[in-house]
Amino acid sequence: MDKYAVIGNPVAHSKSPQIHEAFAHATGQHMSYVRLWAPIGGFADAVETFARDGGRGLNVTVPFKLDAFAVAHTASDRAQAAGACNTLRRDADGWYADNTDGAGIVRDLTVNLDVPLAGRDVLVLGAGGAARGILVPVFAERPCSVTLCNRTAEKAQALALHFAARGPIVALTSGALAGRSFDVVINATSAGLAGDVALPWPAGLFRPGSFAYDMVYADAPTAFLRWARAHGAPRSSDGLGMLIEQAAESFFLWRGVRPETAHIFPMLRPAR
Ligand code: ATR
C-alpha cells in the first residue's frame, strides 16, 4: 500500500489524516496516511527515512515549509515563487515540491463561497509565509489589484517587488489603508491568534458585498472574523475550506485523481 503522511511539529492536532482517508475511500485509492512528528532540525532525516520505508508523499506543516522546499530536487512554479512547500511527492529522482495553499484558498473562495477574484480589489494582510504561499494562484485569477499591508512595512514592500511581474501589486502601511476599501480582504497574519491583541487595521476596509477571509480556522469565529464583522464586513469565512481544498490539490498531485470535497465539510464542521 502506498504511504503518505503529514509531517510537522506539533502534528497531533492535524485534521489531514481524516481528510485524506475520506478522499481515498471516496476515490477507491489504496493508500495509508498517518501523522509524522519530526524534531526541529531533523526534517531532512525524517523525510529520507520515510522515503526509504516506501513513503510516496507528504503534506508539510509548521514549522517545516521552508525545510521542505530545501530538500526538494525540483519544484513547481508556485512553490518556487512562494519559496515554501506544503506538499512533497517522491519521484524517481527525489522529492518534487509543490505549494497547494494558494490553489486551496482560490478554490474555496471562487467555487465554494462564490467569491470571484477576477476584476476585484484584493487586500492581503500580512507578508509572511502564509501571504507568499497564495499570491501566484491569486494573480492567476486576474484581480484588478492586490494590496499588501504588513506591520513591518519593509516585508510587504519586498514581497510586492518579488511578485511585481505577476500582476498589479502595491504595498501600503496600515495608516495608508485609511479611506480605502476592498472587495476581498484576506487575513494572512497570525495577529490575534493568541486572542490578546487589538487588531491594527483601520475601519472602512469593507464595501457592500465585500468578503473577509481568514486563512486560519477554528471552531468558534476567529479574532479577525469578529473584527471584520464588527467593522462592517457583510460576508466572511474562516480557512476550513482552504484546508480541505489544499488537501484535495495535494491528493490530485499524488494520485492523479481529483476528489470531491463537499462531503468533507460536514465531517469536520457539522454546522457549516
Ligand atoms: P506565516 O508563515 O504564518 O505567515 P510568519 O511568516 O511568521 O508566519 O508571518 C506572520 C505574519 O503575521 C507577519 O506578516 C507578521 O507581521 P510582521 O512581518 O510585522 O512580523 C504578522 N503579525 C503577527 N502578529 C501580528 C500583530 N500582532 N499585528 C500585526 N501583524 C502581525
Side-chain angles (χ1 to χ4, degrees), residues 140-189:
E141 296 297 301
R142 301 198 166 275
C144 176
S145 67
V146 172
T147 301
L148 297 179
C149 177
N150 195 47
R151 177 176 60 183
T152 310
E154 300 73 35
K155 276 172 67 182
Q157 283 157 4
L159 210 56
L161 204 60
H162 183 73
F163 284 94
R166 305 265 178 178
I169 186 165
V170 291
L172 294 179
T173 61
S174 184
L177 286 181
R180 295 172 196 259
S181 65
F182 301 86
D183 298 304
V184 182
V185 179
I186 297 170
N187 179 33
T189 74

Side-chain angles (χ1 to χ4, degrees), residues 62 65 125-132 149-153 155-156 187-193 197-201:
V62 175
K65 290 187 180 184
L125 301 169
R132 285 184 83 95
C149 177
N150 195 47
R151 177 176 60 183
T152 310
K155 276 172 67 182
N187 179 33
T189 74
S190 48
L193 278 189
V197 292
L199 299 183
W201 308 293

Side-chain angles (χ1 to χ4, degrees), residues 31-82:
M31 54 188 273
S32 68
Y33 191 107
V34 298
R35 293 184 182 86
L36 191 59
W37 180 90
I40 307 296
F43 179 83
D45 286 345
V47 300
E48 281 319 304
T49 303
F50 182 68
R52 269 201 306 278
D53 291 346
R56 301 284 306 275
L58 289 157
N59 282 130
V60 182
T61 187
V62 175
F64 295 129
K65 290 187 180 184
L66 299 180
D67 303 71
F69 186 70
V71 300
H73 286 64
T74 49
S76 66
D77 173 53
R78 58 195 183 186
Q80 285 180 42

Side-chain angles (χ1 to χ4, degrees), residues 5-264:
V6 53
I7 185 166
N9 181 344
V11 74
H13 65 285
S14 174
K15 294 185 193 292
S16 293
Q18 216 183 332
I19 297 171
H20 284 283
E21 279 162 18
F23 287 163
H25 182 73
T27 58
Q29 297 285 306
H30 294 287
M31 54 188 273
S32 68
Y33 191 107
V34 298
R35 293 184 182 86
L36 191 59
W37 180 90
I40 307 296
F43 179 83
D45 286 345
V47 300
E48 281 319 304
T49 303
F50 182 68
R52 269 201 306 278
D53 291 346
R56 301 284 306 275
L58 289 157
N59 282 130
V60 182
T61 187
V62 175
F64 295 129
K65 290 187 180 184
L66 299 180
D67 303 71
F69 186 70
V71 300
H73 286 64
T74 49
S76 66
D77 173 53
R78 58 195 183 186
Q80 285 180 42
C85 156
N86 78 336
T87 307
L88 286 168
R89 184 185 66 202
R90 189 69 178 185
D91 291 343
D93 56 348
W95 291 109
Y96 172 76
D98 199 358
N99 192 322
T100 65
D101 285 334
I105 191 174
V106 165
R107 195 168 168 88
D108 194 36
L109 280 166
T110 61
V111 178
N112 300 337
L113 298 163
D114 200 19
V115 180
L117 298 176
R120 303 300 171 99
D121 294 317
V122 178
L123 172 63
V124 177
L125 301 169
R132 285 184 83 95
I134 64 168
L135 287 173
V136 167
V138 164
F139 273 125
E141 296 297 301
R142 301 198 166 275
C144 176
S145 67
V146 172
T147 301
L148 297 179
C149 177
N150 195 47
R151 177 176 60 183
T152 310
E154 300 73 35
K155 276 172 67 182
Q157 283 157 4
L159 210 56
L161 204 60
H162 183 73
F163 284 94
R166 305 265 178 178
I169 186 165
V170 291
L172 294 179
T173 61
S174 184
L177 286 181
R180 295 172 196 259
S181 65
F182 301 86
D183 298 304
V184 182
V185 179
I186 297 170
N187 179 33
T189 74
S190 48
L193 278 189
D196 56 352
V197 292
L199 299 183
W201 308 293
L205 297 181
F206 300 101
R207 304 169 174 166
S210 289
F211 200 95
Y213 193 95
D214 200 340
M215 288 177 64
V216 301
Y217 64 90
D219 288 336
T222 63
F224 171 72
L225 292 186
R226 292 197 307 275
W227 178 89
R229 287 172 197 164
H231 288 80
R235 297 181 298 156
S236 60
S237 174
D238 75 4
L240 182 68
M242 176 180 169
L243 174 80
I244 294 168
E245 296 296 346
Q246 63 79 31
E249 186 79 6
S250 297
F251 192 91
F252 176 69
L253 184 79
W254 295 328
R255 309 300 299 180
V257 180
R258 191 171 289 284
E260 294 287 329
T261 54
H263 64 290
I264 307 290

